[in-house]
Amino acid sequence: MFAGFWTDWLWFDSVGYTSVYRTQLLTRILLFAIFGVLMTLAVGFNIWLAHRMRPPLSAMSMEQQNLDRYRMAIAPYKRWVLLGVSLLIGLIAGASASGQWRTWLQWVNGTSFGIRDPQFNRDVSFFAFDYPFYRFLLGFGFAVIVLSLIAAALTHYLYGGVRLSTPGSRLTAAATGHLSVLLGLFVALKAVAYWLDRYGLALKSSDFRDAEGWTGLRYVDANAYLPAKTILTIIAAICAALFFATLWRRLWQLPVIGLGLMVLSAVLIGGVYPAIVQQFQVKPNEQAKETPYIQKHLDATKQAYGIADVQQEPFGREQAGQVTDENREQLRDSVSTTASIRLVDPNVISPAFQQLQQIRGYYAFANTLDVDRYPTADGDQDTVIGVREINTARLPDRNWINERFRYTHGFGVVAAEGDDIQDNGTPVFIEKELPPEGQLGEYEPRIYFGEATTSWSIVGGPQLELDYIAGDTGADEEATGDEQEEAPAEDEPEPGREVDYRYEGDGGVGLNNYLRRAAYALTMGEPQILYSGAIGEGSRIMYKRTPKERVGEVAPWLTIDGDPYPAVVDGRVLWIVDAYTTTNGFPYSSRTVLDQATETALTDAERQVLAQQNQINYIRNSVKATVDAYSGDVQLYAWEEDEPVLQTWMKAFPDTVQPRSEISEELMGHLRYPQDLFNVQRELLQRYHVDSSSLFYAGGERWQVPDDPTRPGNPVPAYYLSMRMPGQEQREFSLTTTFNPRDRDTLAAYMAVVADAGSDDYGTMRILTLPNNTTTPGPKQVQSRWNAEPEIAERINLLRRGDSEIEYGNLLTVPLGDDLLYVEPVYVRGAGANYPRMQRVLASYGEELAFEPTLDQALNVLFGVTESGEEPEEPEEPPAEGEEPEEPPAEETLADLIGQALQAQEDADTALAEGDWAAYGEAQERLRQAMERIAELEGVNREEEDEPAGEPTE
């Protein structure tokens, strides 16, 4: 136990947050001591008092004769039994109370919200900070009285004060007085509970009109339950006084009558009366009765979740999406200024990063990569980024030295342009290789702390670490034709040679003496730490290495976002972690279960929110945190500095959160609107986007987050995208989602929030609502239309030929003109390849569909325009005099063209398996040409079929 406490202290000292551990530990000890001593004294005193009040002579009965044996056995050890029983109960109570350290600190340091509830006119801080602590005290008081009552009754029974089978009086006068006082205290506490229950109605949860998580008073609560609780408080107080009166009149009749009256009142006033009010007053005219309370619930929910200022505006028209000769050029040209359409899907492309940039088998990238933006000469570039982390499970030889000392860190980040792709379907890397090279500049590339780095390591000592192997590069990519290999610099190590490294930072805990080594040998369960010769001067042990874990440890009062993301900032790789302050005590606000509200098609164990309390009804992104990937240094920055829950915790843990002004300009450029918060807000907006209580009551305007069409049964993820909403002058880095009407697959609304933390409009949330009388297709319907189009379906089937697999990328939705543009990259995982390549782009606008090799080609087909600069075809010149005219080519049949396409696909698969990219590109070009001729031939055939039959001949 001591080793555990000490190593925890050493860890907090290594990250500079010993004040957090000290405050938490002292608070727990204080609560343990206070409430443990109170319970011990209360139970011990009542046992002692019952023993002191024992009758001088026990009755001569079989019952008492049997008890004599126990009295005689206990007699020599009475003091020790009293002490032991009292201490045992006190220890249990103290341990339970120490777990309420958060409740205690919030009560002691509570900060006013400046918002009052509409029923009791109390500040929200009363419900968020005070009410939970009063409830804890009340529960503890009930526990003290009940345990004291049981202990006293057993003692009286053992020593003859209570007789169950003896004729005559069953209780002595002393036992009657003692037990009646304890019962009176119990009933008095019940009176306090009834009074507190009045305020609890503002936090009461129930289901109402299919609105799960409804919180707050309704008509029956305000007009039946609230007065009932007040009446029951008075009755319980009178009943308690009757129990206390038995000290003077040793009779049970009056208190028992009072207790029966209280129970009957609880049934009639607290149960039957509200049911009558609900049945005969509310149900006949429910909407009119509930309207004021629905409005309070709506307003409180929007305020608590930060969705009160959502801007809603109509979008589209009845004839939206019509591409005409007048607007086709304008629509086509506006695509690039409207959105940076991401073709590299971070949820699909990780295997390509793994194959092309893993370099060695013991490195790994996250299954889902992250989206960020980096400045370029043409403005900010949407970027898909991943970190090359160490994966000790894939080491070539797993042993003590390799796992703990040799392979200790990952190396470098890999980044690709989000809106561009190479001709061979692979990402355009802007940062790659090992050591890293590219456009992100010089930075410390070693990754000692990361999302997948869950094992502990010992660094900096006599045993050198493997840094990287010289000469390693990613998989061959298609050369552009003018690239030349650079000669290695003179100071570079020879290719194939292992480059060693010794950690030079201050991360981890120093193992500079045997006492520390012994402590860690115990806590890690590894005896070799104590005597291994690989540990010596400068050795440091690194553990708790994931960003979520480190932030959660230094700020145990925060809820941690499920998706930390890496960024190269000021020459360091930083993990950026969004953190939330939450409470479950905001009156009238709807409750949300965090892990359910944040779950999407991409959620897995690594991307789950780390919640201090899973059920909440208030949330703010109050803190932005960073974790240095090299040193493990944790920094907390106050993002919403005036937020009352944050201010409360900053009083409890002073000097742990830095002011917002300390955020550097470069770091500010990488901060973004958090995805988990957005998921919670969009979950609420399915019901709470309406302003009218009558619309909420009717429920006809409810929305739902559509299912991901490529992962049925899971909500479609929200996507980061640089885009320009209608009315905006320029593109903003945004987080977007769509809504369907309830139980329908058409589109109801499109929502985007400005996600760029450096923007003046950061956090501005806009919803474009579509007309109810239109049938704008939603994501599922758009995917179905693509799959049902014969030409597209046939070409997709060709891509699936052999062992090839199709993977659909992110289905992006962009408002364009008066309609929505849908774009979805299509990836092919060919036979012999273990990573996907983007081969085609699906696009849809209005009634138009396209399925082309590139985004530009798909948009050209969609809007019926030619590529910029394309020369029109010149008419063929007639043959010169004396020359024979060229024979027209033999007419190709549909069967011939399909055979050519199949052969081209087979050649492409073979080339892909052999890594012959030139042959692969040539085969893909033949396949494209064959598919174009198939499309032309089918168009001619359809035209011939549609021509009217000529006049019959004679």
Side-chain angles (χ1 to χ4, degrees):
M1 186 181 296
F2 171 75
F5 281 121
W6 189 31
T7 54
D8 284 346
W9 176 270
L10 291 173
W11 186 88
F12 276 95
D13 183 56
S14 72
V15 291
Y17 286 88
T18 52
S19 61
V20 172
Y21 186 64
R22 182 173 58 249
T23 299
Q24 184 179 347
L25 185 61
L26 290 178
T27 303
R28 293 176 73 102
I29 292 173
L30 179 66
L31 291 175
F32 178 87
I34 291 175
F35 290 97
V37 168
L38 285 175
M39 180 65 80
T40 299
L41 292 177
V43 173
F45 172 76
N46 280 281
I47 294 175
W48 172 82
L49 188 61
H51 177 266
R52 184 178 179 84
M53 292 179 174
R54 69 190 184 278
L57 297 173
S58 59
M60 297 303 294
S61 65
M62 291 298 297
E63 179 186 22
Q64 291 303 313
Q65 289 176 18
N66 291 332
L67 290 173
D68 279 340
R69 290 180 298 168
Y70 298 103
R71 286 193 286 265
M72 293 174 62
I74 293 175
Y77 312 105
K78 284 191 292 187
R79 292 184 178 180
W80 292 109
V81 171
L82 171 64
L83 187 62
V85 171
S86 302
L87 281 177
L88 178 62
I89 295 175
L91 287 173
I92 295 173
S96 176
S98 69
Q100 297 293 323
W101 63 271
R102 291 184 179 89
T103 305
W104 166 272
L105 287 176
Q106 285 185 308
W107 178 67
V108 171
N109 301 285
T111 302
S112 171
F113 276 69
I115 304 169
R116 294 190 171 270
D117 83 285
Q119 182 66 42
F120 303 101
N121 197 34
R122 283 186 170 271
D123 192 274
V124 171
S125 61
F126 169 80
F127 299 92
F129 306 136
D130 299 342
Y131 181 78
F133 184 70
Y134 296 152
R135 274 293 178 189
F136 161 67
L137 289 180
L138 186 64
F140 181 79
F142 275 120
V144 169
I145 299 302
V146 169
L147 291 173
S148 296
L149 184 62
I150 294 172
L154 289 174
T155 305
H156 280 299
Y157 175 69
L158 181 63
Y159 288 97
V162 175
R163 308 175 185 119
L164 300 180
S165 60
T166 302
S169 177
R170 302 294 177 89
L171 295 173
T172 63
T176 299
H178 186 192
L179 296 179
S180 64
V181 169
L182 291 176
L183 287 171
L185 290 173
F186 180 87
V187 178
L189 284 179
K190 189 62 181 173
V192 176
Y194 280 134
W195 185 256
L196 276 181
D197 286 345
R198 299 168 66 256
Y199 299 107
L201 292 173
L203 303 174
K204 172 187 172 185
S205 288
S206 59
D207 290 341
F208 174 67
R209 301 293 300 175
D210 199 26
E212 304 87 353
W214 169 281
T215 303
L217 287 84
R218 288 156 51 192
Y219 180 88
V220 70
D221 298 312
N223 295 277
Y225 282 110
L226 190 58
K229 296 292 183 183
T230 304
I231 294 172
L232 288 172
T233 301
I234 297 172
I235 293 174
I238 294 172
C239 187
L242 292 175
F243 273 105
F244 294 141
T246 57
L247 286 173
W248 295 275
R249 299 184 67 220
R250 306 287 179 155
L251 298 174
W252 286 93
Q253 287 86 346
L254 283 178
V256 169
I257 292 172
L259 185 62
L261 176 63
M262 186 180 76
V263 173
L264 182 62
S265 300
V267 173
L268 295 178
I269 302 175
V272 176
Y273 174 63
I276 293 173
V277 171
Q278 178 68 26
Q279 182 66 32
F280 295 101
Q281 289 190 30
V282 177
K283 279 193 174 181
N285 192 18
E286 188 175 51
Q287 183 171 354
K289 296 290 187 183
E290 299 290 9
T291 291
Y293 304 97
I294 294 175
Q295 196 62 52
K296 294 174 185 177
H297 178 69
L298 276 173
D299 295 341
T301 299
K302 292 182 178 183
Q303 195 169 29
Y305 289 94
I307 54 177
D309 298 325
V310 175
Q311 303 173 14
Q312 292 194 48
E313 57 192 82
F315 177 74
R317 62 178 194 276
E318 291 189 13
Q319 300 299 321
Q322 299 297 319
V323 180
T324 64
D325 292 337
E326 290 76 20
N327 69 5
R328 66 176 73 252
E329 292 283 352
Q330 179 184 356
L331 288 172
R332 174 65 182 88
D333 292 341
S334 64
V335 173
S336 59
T337 59
T338 300
S340 173
I341 297 176
R342 191 176 64 250
L343 300 177
V344 179
D345 184 354
N347 315 309
V348 174
I349 207 66
S350 178
F353 274 53
Q354 192 84 355
Q355 178 69 19
L356 300 175
Q357 288 298 318
Q358 179 189 22
I359 312 296
R360 292 281 170 171
Y362 44 78
Y363 291 127
F365 293 92
N367 292 330
T368 298
L369 304 176
D370 291 289
V371 178
D372 200 353
R373 62 263 187 235
Y374 284 86
T376 66
D378 300 324
D380 284 352
Q381 167 72 54
D382 282 9
T383 306
V384 175
I385 187 169
V387 173
R388 190 185 287 112
E389 294 192 55
I390 194 71
N391 179 11
T392 54
R394 299 290 300 275
L395 293 180
D397 184 13
R398 299 189 64 182
N399 55 55
W400 160 253
I401 294 297
N402 280 347
E403 289 189 45
R404 304 303 181 190
F405 298 88
R406 187 71 176 151
Y407 296 88
T408 59
H409 59 276
F411 208 98
V413 302
V414 176
E417 295 182 8
D419 57 357
D420 198 6
I421 209 83
Q422 295 193 87
D423 292 339
N424 63 356
T426 59
V428 178
F429 291 109
I430 62 172
E431 186 76 14
K432 58 182 180 178
E433 304 302 354
L434 195 159
E437 58 185 43
Q439 303 175 18
L440 303 188
E442 296 291 330
Y443 63 93
E444 172 54 64
R446 296 168 182 88
I447 310 298
Y448 283 91
F449 299 86
E451 287 184 286
T453 312
T454 56
S455 60
W456 55 272
S457 296
I458 297 176
V459 302
Q463 175 64 55
L464 293 175
E465 310 160 43
L466 174 66
D467 210 23
Y468 63 92
I469 297 179
D472 275 350
T473 61
D476 292 337
E477 301 174 37
E478 289 187 6
T480 59
D482 55 357
E483 296 178 353
Q484 295 181 357
E485 295 185 3
E486 297 182 2
E490 293 182 1
D491 57 347
E492 288 184 359
E494 298 178 3
R497 186 171 70 82
E498 292 184 351
V499 179
D500 292 332
Y501 181 74
R502 180 177 284 109
Y503 183 70
E504 299 174 350
D506 56 1
V509 178
L511 299 176
N512 50 16
N513 59 60
Y514 278 99
L515 199 56
R516 287 190 176 189
R517 291 173 66 170
Y520 278 103
L522 285 171
T523 55
M524 296 298 181
E526 180 51 74
Q528 293 188 74
I529 294 177
L530 186 60
Y531 54 79
S532 174
I535 302 175
E537 184 68 27
S539 289
R540 309 182 71 84
I541 184 169
M542 290 182 171
Y543 59 106
K544 295 181 181 177
R545 298 169 73 178
T546 66
K548 285 199 298 185
E549 188 178 18
R550 294 180 78 79
V551 175
E553 287 287 339
V554 303
W557 38 273
L558 288 174
T559 291
I560 312 301
D561 189 272
D563 184 26
Y565 59 97
V568 177
V569 179
D570 298 321
R572 314 283 289 190
V573 178
L574 297 182
W575 291 98
I576 300 176
V577 185
D578 285 289
Y580 311 107
T581 46
T582 62
T583 182
N584 195 30
F586 198 102
Y588 279 96
S589 174
S590 178
R591 283 195 167 85
T592 297
V593 180
L594 268 181
D595 58 1
Q596 295 178 9
T598 57
E599 184 177 6
T600 70
L602 305 177
T603 304
D604 53 27
E606 291 183 0
R607 293 171 64 91
Q608 284 183 344
V609 63
L610 184 62
Q612 297 300 335
Q613 52 183 158
N614 198 27
Q615 191 177 67
I616 63 166
N617 67 352
Y618 171 92
I619 186 170
R620 287 291 187 274
N621 178 212
S622 301
V623 172
K624 302 282 188 181
T626 63
V627 177
D628 192 303
Y630 182 76
S631 66
D633 178 58
V634 181
Q635 297 293 332
L636 306 176
Y637 300 98
W639 186 247
E640 296 188 27
E641 294 178 307
D642 298 330
E643 198 276 314
V645 181
L646 175 63
Q647 289 185 332
T648 296
W649 287 116
M650 289 177 67
K651 292 178 185 176
F653 298 99
D655 302 324
T656 58
V657 182
Q658 301 181 53
R660 182 170 176 166
S661 58
E662 293 297 315
I663 300 176
S664 69
E665 183 178 352
E666 188 169 349
L667 175 58
M668 183 70 76
H670 293 280
L671 300 182
R672 68 189 191 188
Y673 199 86
Q675 197 162 2
D676 279 344
L677 175 61
F678 187 75
N679 287 338
V680 170
Q681 291 172 326
R682 74 170 183 174
E683 176 78 13
L684 269 296
L685 284 168
Q686 293 177 105
R687 290 167 286 159
Y688 295 91
H689 63 277
V690 298
D691 295 321
S692 165
S693 56
S694 59
L695 284 176
F696 185 89
Y697 176 86
E701 293 295 317
R702 270 195 71 173
W703 297 340
Q704 64 185 23
V705 177
D707 275 358
D708 190 329
T710 62
R711 301 175 182 86
N714 297 287
V716 66
Y719 293 120
Y720 288 104
L721 194 67
S722 288
M723 57 165 294
R724 175 170 56 86
M725 289 282 279
Q728 287 183 330
E729 296 182 358
Q730 59 185 11
R731 297 188 313 196
E732 296 266 20
F733 189 65
S734 304
L735 191 54
T736 66
T737 191
T738 54
F739 294 102
N740 292 345
R742 186 178 182 183
D743 299 326
R744 295 175 59 194
D745 292 326
T746 55
L747 206 66
Y750 178 85
M751 183 171 76
V753 61
V754 177
D756 183 359
S759 170
D760 294 336
D761 295 325
Y762 172 82
T764 300
M765 196 172 290
R766 295 178 62 190
I767 296 180
L768 306 179
T769 57
L770 282 82
N772 291 330
N773 58 352
T774 62
T775 55
T776 304
K780 186 175 180 180
Q781 289 181 325
V782 170
Q783 192 74 50
S784 297
R785 286 185 60 199
W786 283 327
N787 295 339
E789 179 68 21
E791 182 179 341
I792 293 177
E794 183 178 356
R795 295 166 73 180
I796 287 178
N797 287 333
L798 284 175
L799 293 177
R800 282 199 178 103
R801 185 175 176 274
D803 295 330
S804 298
E805 298 177 3
I806 294 291
E807 293 186 43
Y808 293 99
N810 35 220
L811 176 51
L812 301 178
T813 310
V814 177
L816 182 69
D818 293 314
D819 209 333
L820 295 166
L821 170 67
Y822 288 95
V823 176
E824 183 178 63
V826 178
Y827 295 82
V828 177
R829 193 187 293 261
N834 56 2
Y835 65 97
R837 294 169 177 267
M838 202 211 79
Q839 295 297 318
R840 290 289 186 274
V841 176
L842 286 162
S844 170
Y845 186 79
E847 297 299 320
E848 305 296 328
L849 305 176
F851 183 61
E852 298 299 325
T854 68
L855 176 61
D856 285 338
Q857 291 173 341
L859 294 175
N860 290 339
V861 170
L862 207 60
F863 298 108
V865 299
T866 59
E867 296 183 12
S868 177
E870 182 178 334
E871 295 291 336
E873 294 184 4
E874 296 184 2
E876 295 183 2
E877 295 184 2
E881 186 175 350
E883 289 186 6
E884 293 291 332
E886 293 184 5
E887 291 291 330
E891 185 176 353
E892 293 177 307
T893 66
L894 182 60
D896 294 334
L897 293 173
I898 291 177
Q900 294 175 22
L902 293 174
Q903 183 61 48
Q905 182 63 52
E906 184 176 345
D907 294 344
D909 291 343
T910 303
L912 185 61
E914 296 175 352
D916 188 344
W917 306 122
Y920 177 82
E922 186 271 335
Q924 286 291 312
E925 178 61 24
R926 285 193 285 115
L927 175 61
R928 185 185 66 80
Q929 294 175 359
M931 295 306 299
E932 289 178 352
R933 292 200 295 273
I934 289 173
E936 293 172 1
L937 184 59
E938 286 183 341
V940 171
N941 291 341
R942 281 196 294 268
E943 290 176 2
E944 291 177 352
E945 292 173 359
D946 293 340
E947 287 181 2
E951 293 296 329
T953 57
E954 295 180 3

